[in-house]
Amino acid sequence: MSTLKAVRGTRDLLPPETELWNFVEETARRVFARYNFGEIRTPVFEDTQLFARGVGEETDIVSKEMYTWEDRARAQSEKAQSLTLRPENTAGVVRAYIEHKLGETGLLQKLYYIGPQFRRERPQKGRYRQFYQIGAEVIGPPSAGSESPLRDAEVLEMLATLLDELGITGWHLEINSVGSAMDRPRYVAALREALGPVKHLMCEDNQRRAETNPLRVLDSKDPGDQEIIDKLPKIADFLDESSKAHFAAVCAALNACGVPYTVNPRLVRGLDYYTRTTFEFTHGGLGAQNALLGGGRYDGLSEIIGGPKAPGIGFAMGEDRLILTLEAQAAARTNLADAYVAPMGEGLNPAALKLARELRRAGLRVELGDGGFRLKKSFEMGNKLARKIVLFGEDEQQSGILTVKDFASGEQVKVPRADIVPVLRK
RNA sequence: GCGGCUAUAGUUCAGCGGCAGAACGCCUGACUGUGGCUCAGGAUGUCGUGGGUUCGAUCCCCACUAGCCGCCCCA
């Protein structure tokens, strides 16, 4: 019988790597808090219809990458419900916004989430079937200013700050506008028209895209097709006046606060709900999966899933990939305990636990050895696990004077038990 | 979903149709209340799983599974 393993595309996160995950999440929470975002936690599974309608029936995510199953009907009168593990979190947040009538507050809702998402894709480095995203959404009624380009710029500025505080160097921001819900169909129609006579000259993939999703032709990497792509209509020429002004205002605000970016007229996003501003932060050294995070504005999403008019903008950051770049950038951090308490003799174990308890209650990070170890072994273990060792033998117990040795300096001192905490803290 | 590469000790990897190897790590001792460095010794294992070829397979062949890389797509 084969041994049980984590299923394909899932994995365990173990120390010390989890230290890095906590660092990322704590940093994100700290930064979001400064912008007055609050945390939202939505269920990991939802009615399949939410994603089908919200994300778009025709997207790959919905058509072939979802974990979907029929829930059991509890009674004969009840129909089995189709449920799906969330492939992304924006639809869930907007559903919660509608369900709890958050628009009725008249205020902008600024919500962030941190949690697992699920897509049934072929696993690769930085791409897992259970993956983790950190994201945030700014959503609200138009009267609260939810359509303002200032919101877009503020979110982008916040992300630049977050990446800086995470210590990510060399990130790159690309932005674009895909126009309003009215502009986009006009542009897609023009694209189809322009592609008609030339698509047979392009690679197989692009011929297929020209049919199924012409927008995707734009970010094709095929070198032979670049010349044709460059001559295709630009979406910027199809934006109405208000979309143009909106995008210009986003850029102006970014310029004002010195956040570097480039406008990429080919940046289209895969999800159907995006309108106007779209953006992506990328990082080299991630191979083909070079996007650290992406997002955009979704002025019509709430209405698509049956809610009130509630324009919004948000992003999702791939935490797995972020960790990869951090690991590549920084040497693995060692996490030594402050002290290794070494009882010398099994009879001293209970008293050693009491000592360790006192030190831990004082806030120290403490490893506790075992009186069954020989002294040499205590030192070997202590040297691997902690910065200092505290010897606790008969002498020490009776005299109340503890022996402390610093592994780095080799210095050894005798310290009265009452004074030990500051010595260990050094 | 498609293509390529890979799978051997705790880890990183070498290797060969005929008893399974190295380095690091681990254990023991030199050193019985003193770690790191050094030296001497020791144990590593269903060679991913299942079939096939063969006197004999860890090695060759097939399938499966998993990982990595790329494609599709996407954060």
Side-chain angles (χ1 to χ4, degrees):
Chain A
M1 172 158 159
S2 59
T3 50
L4 291 168
K5 299 194 298 185
V7 305
R8 182 174 171 83
T10 70
R11 62 192 175 138
D12 302 307
L13 299 172
L14 305 171
E17 194 189 4
T18 39
E19 296 277 336
L20 209 45
W21 285 75
N22 284 328
F23 163 73
V24 167
E25 290 169 16
E26 282 161 16
T27 304
R29 287 176 195 280
R30 194 180 65 233
V31 171
F32 294 157
R34 295 210 296 266
Y35 292 78
N36 210 25
F37 277 69
E39 181 176 5
I40 183 172
R41 302 192 189 195
T42 66
V44 293
F45 56 89
E46 301 262 5
D47 192 305
T48 302
Q49 277 305 306
L50 175 64
F51 305 117
R53 277 195 267 164
V55 178
E57 295 276 9
E58 300 308 315
T59 61
D60 271 31
I61 294 178
V62 171
S63 62
K64 59 185 200 196
E65 293 173 1
M66 295 205 303
Y67 278 102
T68 297
W69 72 97
E70 293 296 313
D71 198 27
R72 268 194 300 273
R74 285 175 305 163
Q76 283 185 337
S77 58
E78 192 182 68
K79 285 188 88 172
Q81 188 179 17
S82 177
L83 302 178
T84 295
L85 290 176
R86 62 185 185 197
E88 56 96 54
N89 218 328
T90 299
V93 169
V94 174
R95 194 224 79 232
Y97 171 91
I98 296 166
E99 183 167 338
H100 301 288
K101 299 184 172 19
L102 297 181
E104 298 300 311
T105 62
L107 297 173
L108 217 48
Q109 300 296 310
K110 301 199 287 188
L111 304 166
Y112 76 87
Y113 59 84
I114 296 177
Q117 320 291 334
F118 306 85
R119 285 186 205 169
R120 201 173 182 293
E121 299 176 284
R122 180 112 169 200
Q124 274 180 47
K125 197 182 193 71
R127 167 185 277 187
Y128 301 95
R129 288 181 171 185
Q130 174 171 336
F131 59 103
Y132 295 82
Q133 284 190 333
I134 298 175
E137 316 290 347
V138 179
I139 182 171
S143 62
S146 58
E147 286 178 296
S148 169
L150 186 59
R151 301 281 76 91
D152 307 45
E154 187 181 28
V155 165
L156 290 167
E157 185 276 319
M158 176 173 78
L159 286 167
T161 298
L162 174 57
L163 291 178
D164 286 345
E165 294 200 13
L166 285 168
I168 302 273
T169 55
W171 53 261
H172 190 68
L173 168 61
E174 295 185 1
I175 62 175
N176 190 28
S177 176
V178 295
S180 70
M182 264 83 79
D183 302 335
R184 205 157 144 166
R186 281 196 298 129
Y187 175 60
V188 172
L191 253 191
R192 281 192 198 277
E193 199 174 323
L195 282 167
V198 294
K199 67 185 179 199
H200 67 278
L201 301 171
M202 306 179 86
C203 70
E204 209 176 300
D205 281 337
N206 278 332
Q207 292 191 33
R208 183 178 41 74
R209 286 162 166 165
E211 295 294 331
T212 59
N213 193 351
L215 287 174
R216 297 235 65 92
V217 175
L218 295 177
D219 56 7
S220 161
K221 292 167 202 123
D222 189 293
D225 293 352
Q226 294 307 310
E227 206 174 318
I228 297 172
I229 292 169
D230 286 340
K231 289 184 187 144
L232 291 172
K234 301 277 187 293
I235 191 155
D237 300 325
F238 287 79
L239 302 187
D240 62 26
E241 288 309 313
S242 82
S243 286
K244 273 183 199 165
H246 192 275
F247 189 56
V250 173
C251 294
L254 288 176
N255 292 339
C257 55
V259 173
Y261 64 92
T262 53
V263 175
N264 177 355
R266 297 182 184 177
L267 181 69
V268 293
R269 317 235 81 241
L271 307 187
D272 287 354
Y273 55 63
Y274 285 114
T275 55
R276 293 188 168 168
T277 311
T278 58
F279 59 87
E280 198 165 281
F281 282 76
T282 58
H283 192 273
L286 280 172
Q289 275 67 56
N290 66 346
L292 277 179
L293 68 91
R297 180 163 276 285
Y298 44 86
D299 291 342
L301 178 55
S302 173
E303 289 148 290
I304 291 170
I305 55 183
K309 186 168 170 58
I313 180 163
F315 67 88
M317 177 161 81
E319 199 176 353
D320 305 78
R321 288 189 196 170
L322 198 69
I323 300 281
L324 273 180
T325 62
L326 285 175
E327 281 176 342
Q329 257 176 220
R333 302 192 301 171
T334 54
N335 284 287
L336 293 176
D338 296 310
Y340 181 89
V341 173
M344 270 165 298
E346 289 182 32
L348 290 164
N349 277 348
L353 178 59
K354 182 165 178 285
L355 173 61
R357 170 181 156 93
E358 288 165 15
L359 300 179
R360 287 163 174 159
R361 287 205 160 204
L364 291 164
R365 183 164 168 165
V366 175
E367 280 278 356
L368 178 59
D370 188 281
F373 294 160
R374 293 170 45 217
L375 188 69
K376 178 184 162 68
K377 175 148 179 169
S378 288
F379 269 81
E380 284 172 350
M381 298 289 271
N383 188 44
K384 283 172 194 166
L385 296 170
R387 293 184 295 108
K388 294 187 172 74
I389 186 167
V390 178
L391 294 186
F392 188 70
E394 294 291 350
D395 299 352
E396 283 84 357
Q397 190 181 22
Q398 275 167 25
S399 66
I401 310 283
L402 299 169
T403 303
V404 177
K405 183 163 183 175
D406 184 313
F407 285 115
S409 67
E411 187 187 354
Q412 184 164 315
V413 291
K414 300 243 181 227
V415 185
R417 181 159 175 164
D419 302 335
I420 195 160
V421 171
V423 172
L424 293 177
R425 227 172 234 147
K426 274 196 301 194

